[in-house]
């Protein structure tokens, strides 16, 4: 059971980290954590080995390098929304008819689009954060020895992956790996 709990924590941490990075601009605290946590550094091999992470001036790295790239991969150059990739007309579905919104509602997952820097709830970062919330529920259920609920949450994760993330996220992430200006976002795409 300990290996199962450890795997859940690892999955929770990875979904939380990648969701957070892709949903809004990086901040100094998170960047410092990424640069100095020996457990996280291996997930950013190119970034941690390049001068673009000049740790003497994290504010400069964030404002002049990383935020520019975030704007490119999330707001201007690339489109991080499931509906864009899955709708025939290539439009972003931001209403309550969005199948992702319905999935979130079923599991009581609420989001603040303005805080997330997103126009629709099917943003890749939000979808990753939703997966993290399901994993957290599974983990809590395991801790409370409620294995039936844990299994329900695991099945919900599988359904969401198959119905949503696996249907489009790879397309977007491959574009990020190709078109991102920084090794930080290239590494993030690879990790995700």
């Amino acid at each position: 059971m300990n290996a199962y709990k450890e795997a859940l924590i690892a999955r929770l941490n990875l979904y939380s980290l990648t969701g957070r990075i892709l949903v809004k601009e990086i901040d100094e605290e998170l960047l410092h954590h990424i640069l100095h946590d020996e457990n996280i550094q291996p997930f950013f091999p190119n970034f941690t080995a390049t001068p673009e992470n000049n740790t003497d001036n994290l504010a400069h790295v964030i404002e002049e390098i990383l935020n520019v790239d975030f704007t490119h991969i999330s707001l201007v150059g690339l489109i991080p929304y499931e509906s864009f990739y899955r709708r025939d007309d290539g439009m972003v579905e931001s209403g309550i008819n969005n199948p992702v919104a319905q999935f979130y509602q079923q599991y009581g997952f609420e989001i603040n689009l303005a805080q997330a820097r997103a126009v629709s709830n099917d943003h890749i970062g939000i979808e990753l954060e939703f997966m993290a919330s399901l994993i957290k529920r599974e983990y809590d259920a395991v801790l409370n020895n409620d294995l039936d609920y844990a299994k329900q949450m695991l099945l919900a994760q599988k359904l969401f992956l198959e119905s949503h993330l696996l249907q489009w996220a790879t397309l977007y992430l491959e574009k990020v790996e190709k078109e991102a200006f920084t090794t930080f976002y290239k590494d993030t795409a690879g990790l995700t």
Side-chain angles (χ1 to χ4, degrees), residues 21-157:
I21 290 170
L22 292 171
V23 82
K24 66 181 181 179
E25 293 90 340
I26 196 94
D27 58 40
E28 278 193 53
E29 181 181 350
L30 181 55
L31 184 56
H32 183 271
H33 189 66
I34 289 167
L35 289 170
H36 296 93
D37 187 321
E38 293 178 3
N39 295 315
I40 295 177
Q41 288 174 351
F43 294 116
F44 296 89
N46 299 306
F47 177 66
T48 55
T50 62
E52 78 185 25
N53 70 21
N54 178 357
T55 56
D56 294 337
N57 190 350
L58 288 184
H60 171 77
V61 171
I62 290 168
E63 293 301 320
E64 302 297 323
I65 300 170
L66 298 180
N67 283 354
V68 171
D69 204 15
F70 176 84
T71 300
H72 170 66
I73 67 160
S74 294
L75 303 171
V76 178
L78 301 178
I79 300 171
Y81 297 95
E82 177 180 338
S83 52
F84 172 79
Y85 290 90
R86 299 195 61 195
R87 283 177 53 137
D88 292 335
D89 61 6
M91 299 295 288
V92 173
E93 172 63 62
S94 61
I96 59 171
N97 293 329
N98 186 316
V100 173
Q102 295 168 3
F103 209 105
Y104 293 164
Q105 185 176 30
Q106 181 180 352
Y107 290 92
F109 183 72
E110 296 181 13
I111 54 171
N112 179 333
L113 291 177
Q115 185 180 11
R117 300 275 286 148
V119 297
S120 178
N121 50 29
D122 63 349
H123 185 284
I124 189 164
I126 297 170
E127 290 193 14
L128 295 169
E129 288 182 347
F130 174 66
M131 284 292 295
S133 76
L134 294 176
I135 295 165
K136 175 75 167 95
R137 290 179 187 188
E138 179 187 2
Y139 179 75
D140 290 344
V142 169
L143 289 181
N144 292 321
N145 207 28
D146 186 351
L147 299 183
D148 288 337
Y149 188 71
K151 184 177 180 180
Q152 288 175 16
M153 290 301 98
L154 182 60
L155 291 173
Q157 293 163 53

Side-chain angles (χ1 to χ4, degrees), residues 15 131 156-167:
Y15 275 103
M131 284 292 295
Q157 293 163 53
K158 182 180 186 292
L159 180 59
F160 190 76
L161 279 170
E162 291 173 348
S163 302
H164 296 284
L165 276 168
L166 293 177
Q167 297 295 317

